[in-house]
Amino acid sequence: MKEQPTPCVDRELVLAQLDFCREKVDALLPRFGSSFPAPSSEGLIYPTQEENFDWTTSFFSGMLWLLWEHTGDGKYLDALEPQLHSFYERVEKPGNVDTHDLGFLYSLSCYPAALLRQDRRARDCFLKAADHLLARYFPKAGILQAWGDLNDPANRGRMIIDCLMNLPLLYQAARLTGREEYRSAAYSHAKRAQRYLVRPDDTTFHTFYMDVDTGEPRFGRTAQGYSDSSCWARGQAWGVYGFALSFHHTGDRSFLDTSCRLLDYFLARLPEDGVCYWDLCFTDGDEPRDSSAAAILCCGILELLRHLPLTHPRRGDYEAALHRILASLARDYTTRDTLRADGLLLHGVYSKPDGIGVDECMIWGDYYYMEALFRLLYGTCAYWL
Ligand code: GLY
């Protein structure tokens, strides 16, 4: 990444961007009552998902929570009601809880309701989700299986870097109930992720197979990256943010070091405008960018900065990178000047190898963009803490 003067993201810009986000979300409200925007747009328009089955349904709820906190406008609570109801139902449906993504799903829907509104039903559903996630823990291997049925040979013992963002569900459940097994499973998983998903050169595997009978490591594989040995940009961003969160929840300083190492690698692979390509093996050329990875990275840097001492030698560089990436997203990647678009951020990628959602809006990219702005204004975001 070439040295450039740092563009400053100031309060005025953040407020203007949050106004833009609010206008976009307000325009979506009539369309998504108890239904959800699909994970990625098609021609920049989000198809509607009537069923609450994907890993992404809570991101719209998360955006509503952020807007309610930011504005205090009760219309966001009204909009959240049917969404929450759908999450209450989902946690009771066997097929819809066979995934580690319960963290994304319940940390952004029921947890804020329990935390900010003292909602008992939301709290109970949140804890049920934590139980479903805990059931995916293999004690011998010390990991949570990411996808699918626990006996499916294609998925058995497979952990993925994204799961670091699902661990807050367990850490939070431990704090709410006093039950240590939630915390120890999350901590063990984070330690295995640190050991096996992070490579010696500070890149990450997207997924890694463990032998759940012997506990031995097997091999790494990509699912959404360019190759098994490349570094999928969004995975690396999940790692920066996820290890910083595991530090917050456990106090294990090695997670902070890992988060910094992954971030250093990420920043060294950025193109001129600071917004990464979809895989960090690309640093220039015509490959698609992934603005959603850039937005996640901004949130990860902001969480990391909450914990790094003022004297940390890289602190100034991380702050400069944050300003640079966020200013670039705000200036060149939003849909502000696009005539017809549902999302907030242009140029995201869901899965390039599968040809899904390439150069489109991603609903999680929109969420993390808003979360980054919210963090810049209020200092933190309680949903993961
Ligand atoms: N967690 C799935 C993804 O980032 O695409």
Side-chain angles (χ1 to χ4, degrees):
M1 186 160 122
K2 281 192 196 151
E3 283 302 317
Q4 286 185 340
T6 304
C8 184
V9 174
D10 58 15
R11 188 176 169 83
E12 203 183 331
L13 184 140
V14 170
L15 286 169
Q17 286 298 306
L18 278 170
D19 280 350
F20 153 73
C21 297
R22 182 164 50 155
E23 276 170 30
K24 296 299 286 190
V25 173
D26 284 357
L28 296 184
L29 285 180
R31 279 213 349 255
F32 302 108
S34 56
S35 61
F36 305 90
S40 52
S41 63
E42 290 173 15
L44 306 184
I45 300 300
Y46 286 123
T48 303
Q49 283 188 342
E50 298 295 342
E51 276 283 301
N52 188 345
F53 68 90
D54 234 310
W55 69 279
T56 52
T57 45
S58 59
F59 291 113
F60 190 61
S61 310
M63 289 156 77
L64 298 176
W65 280 120
L66 289 173
L67 283 175
W68 178 66
E69 286 207 80
H70 178 50
T71 64
D73 190 332
K75 78 176 173 199
Y76 298 113
L77 289 182
D78 294 343
L80 275 158
E81 213 167 290
Q83 302 261 317
L84 286 173
H85 202 83
S86 173
F87 283 97
Y88 300 155
E89 287 180 346
R90 177 170 180 157
V91 84
E92 309 291 349
K93 286 189 189 158
N96 277 354
V97 289
D98 261 0
T99 170
H100 71 140
D101 288 320
L102 291 159
F104 284 115
L105 292 165
Y106 283 84
S107 287
L108 291 181
S109 58
C110 290
Y111 186 66
L115 186 76
L116 306 172
R117 308 282 298 161
Q118 287 75 48
D119 185 319
R120 291 294 304 184
R121 186 165 183 201
R123 182 185 189 274
D124 291 347
C125 289
F126 177 78
L127 293 176
K128 281 185 193 168
D131 285 338
H132 286 301
L133 181 55
L134 191 61
R136 305 182 68 76
Y137 183 67
F138 285 101
K140 191 97 186 173
I143 60 113
L144 295 153
Q145 180 176 315
W147 296 317
D149 188 283
L150 298 180
N151 293 310
D152 168 10
N155 284 314
R156 193 167 160 82
R158 191 179 200 186
M159 65 169 157
I160 76 172
I161 188 81
D162 323 26
C163 188
L164 289 159
M165 295 302 294
N166 292 318
L167 301 183
L169 171 64
L170 295 179
Y171 294 128
Q172 291 159 343
R175 204 172 56 228
L176 287 175
T177 61
R179 279 176 54 196
E180 169 62 17
E181 62 263 42
Y182 294 120
R183 200 198 76 90
S184 64
Y187 183 52
S188 166
H189 181 96
K191 292 305 280 182
R192 299 303 193 285
Q194 186 181 44
R195 184 156 174 199
Y196 300 118
L197 284 166
V198 178
R199 305 180 183 113
D201 65 354
D202 303 338
T203 64
T204 45
F205 285 115
H206 182 187
T207 88
F208 194 94
Y209 284 89
M210 301 291 289
D211 185 322
V212 293
D213 301 315
T214 65
E216 289 299 308
R218 294 178 68 205
F219 54 88
R221 275 269 180 283
T222 198
Q224 284 156 257
Y226 177 74
S227 74
D228 290 342
S229 58
S230 73
C231 184
W232 177 49
R234 195 158 66 250
Q236 190 87 353
W238 292 136
V240 171
Y241 196 177
F243 282 117
L245 288 172
S246 267
F247 168 74
H248 166 84
H249 286 286
T250 66
D252 181 334
R253 295 202 71 80
S254 73
F255 291 139
L256 218 45
D257 295 340
T258 303
S259 177
C260 289
R261 282 171 45 210
L262 301 193
L263 177 57
D264 286 337
Y265 182 85
F266 207 124
L267 298 182
R269 306 293 298 171
L270 292 185
E272 197 97 346
D273 75 353
V275 175
C276 57
Y277 286 87
W278 67 280
D279 193 296
L280 298 181
C281 67
F282 304 110
T283 55
D284 59 17
D286 293 332
E287 288 290 328
R289 306 298 181 94
D290 182 8
S291 60
S292 76
I296 295 161
L297 188 74
C298 288
C299 294
I301 298 174
L302 282 158
E303 180 61 22
L304 192 55
L305 287 171
R306 288 195 330 116
H307 305 295
L308 286 185
L310 290 176
T311 53
H312 190 281
R314 297 282 289 143
R315 194 179 167 92
D317 295 329
Y318 295 161
E319 282 177 6
L322 169 73
H323 281 271
R324 183 174 170 213
I325 299 166
L326 209 85
S328 185
L329 289 176
R331 190 182 56 238
D332 296 326
Y333 286 79
T334 73
T335 55
R336 198 188 42 202
D337 299 323
T338 310
L339 215 48
R340 201 170 158 269
D342 281 345
L344 306 177
L345 284 186
L346 298 163
H347 308 311
V349 171
Y350 189 175
S351 180
K352 180 75 170 28
D354 299 307
I356 302 171
V358 177
D359 199 14
E360 289 284 351
C361 306
M362 305 294 125
I363 191 68
W364 62 86
D366 295 350
Y367 169 79
Y368 285 104
Y369 184 58
M370 282 184 67
E371 185 188 304
L373 296 166
F374 185 89
R375 278 175 171 271
L376 278 164
L377 208 54
Y378 298 103
T380 190
C381 174
Y383 312 156
W384 311 103
L385 307 182

